[in-house]
Amino acid sequence: KNEVEQSPQNLTAQEGEFITINCSYSVGISALHWLQQHPGGGIVSLFMLSSGKKKHGRLIATINIQEKHSSLHITASHPRDSAVYICAVQSFGNEKLTFGTGTRLTIIP
Amino acid sequence: DVKVTQSSRYLVKRTGEKVFLECVQDMDHENMFWYRQDPGLGLRLIYFSYDVKMKEKGDIPEGYSVSREKKERFSLILESASTNQTSMYLCASSLYTYEQYFGPGTRLTVT
């Protein structure tokens, strides 16, 4: 079973700062997901990637398959980015995900 | 837009009660999932269904059962609720091995 580690567990930053959240996993995967969970519970899928880099607005996700590592970056952070960010990995041919425990991000105005 | 809805946002039940949590998705997805989320433990899979009447146990199925009689609906059943089943329950659906879409969650308290 894949182990998924996220760091840091908690991150507080000032508005406008560049944010990096890291995710490492132990076994080869077919895809890695980044999810966002706002207070109140709802989870939204941000990215699903299997190689390279994806960008959506101020969010960038990268993955290094050889290093078994992914990063989520937020440029020009804003208080509305405050949320829990969750990394999850998917094995080959498997619909199920293994989740990290999340990174709680707080952006102070 | 995919919509996944759950029957209740908040639920309070007594120990020993039978509890039904319902999840409905409107995008004809084959796969549906039930998770529980607890502080420090992340999301853990309770059950997974890949088709009508088909199910697979997840990582923590003990104390739970599921039902999928129609493609759009996946129910989680707590046969006899216990206090250690107090948690946030999240349903999700997906098309094959693509991204999962989550419902808003049900916060269940068992007293």
Side-chain angles (χ1 to χ4, degrees):
Chain A
K1 185 173 160 70
N2 224 329
E3 301 292 330
V4 181
E5 299 277 342
Q6 285 187 239
S7 63
Q9 285 188 304
N10 293 283
L11 179 56
T12 300
Q14 294 287 332
E15 183 174 355
E17 284 190 45
F18 181 81
I19 303 299
T20 296
I21 299 170
N22 297 299
C23 177
S24 297
Y25 53 92
S26 57
V27 180
I29 62 170
S30 63
L32 183 142
H33 301 248
W34 282 103
L35 309 161
Q36 180 191 56
Q37 185 174 29
H38 279 288
I43 295 177
V44 174
S45 179
L46 297 174
F47 296 103
M48 176 178 170
L49 66 165
S50 54
S51 66
K53 179 175 166 177
K54 285 192 175 180
K55 185 174 190 288
H56 186 253
R58 295 180 294 104
L59 273 60
I60 303 164
T62 64
I63 188 167
N64 183 321
I65 296 295
Q66 287 74 29
E67 298 287 322
K68 295 187 176 62
H69 180 270
S70 175
S71 293
L72 177 68
H73 305 286
I74 305 174
T75 61
S77 59
H78 190 276
R80 67 174 173 267
D81 297 325
S82 298
V84 175
Y85 293 85
I86 302 169
C87 170
V89 300
Q90 190 167 8
S91 301
F92 293 97
N94 196 338
E95 300 86 348
K96 292 180 271 191
L97 301 178
T98 302
F99 296 84
T101 54
T103 294
R104 184 175 299 276
L105 174 66
T106 304
I107 303 296
I108 299 169
Chain B
D1 267 359
V2 177
K3 186 168 261 186
V4 180
T5 56
Q6 295 184 228
S7 48
S8 306
R9 291 301 306 272
Y10 300 93
L11 210 50
V12 180
K13 294 291 181 181
R14 294 200 180 274
T15 302
E17 278 194 80
K18 190 167 187 175
V19 181
F20 292 87
L21 303 181
E22 289 221 310
C23 175
V24 178
Q25 51 96 2
D26 67 358
M27 280 303 290
D28 204 34
H29 285 174
E30 279 74 15
N31 302 322
M32 295 189 77
F33 307 82
W34 274 108
Y35 298 98
R36 66 177 280 176
Q37 185 179 33
D38 300 288
L41 296 177
L43 281 123
R44 294 179 292 167
L45 181 65
I46 305 171
Y47 267 97
F48 159 58
S49 170
Y50 49 93
D51 202 348
V52 175
K53 297 191 190 295
M54 307 305 286
K55 62 186 179 187
E56 255 185 47
K57 291 181 181 178
D59 300 317
I60 49 164
E62 297 79 18
Y64 303 95
S65 62
V66 290
S67 171
R68 193 164 178 204
E69 297 296 319
K70 293 185 177 182
K71 193 174 186 179
E72 67 271 18
R73 192 179 295 269
F74 191 34
S75 301
L76 179 69
I77 303 148
L78 287 66
E79 295 289 343
S80 177
S82 64
T83 54
N84 63 12
Q85 292 179 309
T86 291
S87 187
M88 169 71 92
Y89 290 87
L90 288 144
C91 173
S93 72
S94 75
L95 186 64
Y96 303 117
T97 57
Y98 298 112
E99 64 184 304
Q100 292 187 16
Y101 294 83
F102 287 81
T106 296
R107 190 167 292 282
L108 172 67
T109 302
V110 182
T111 61

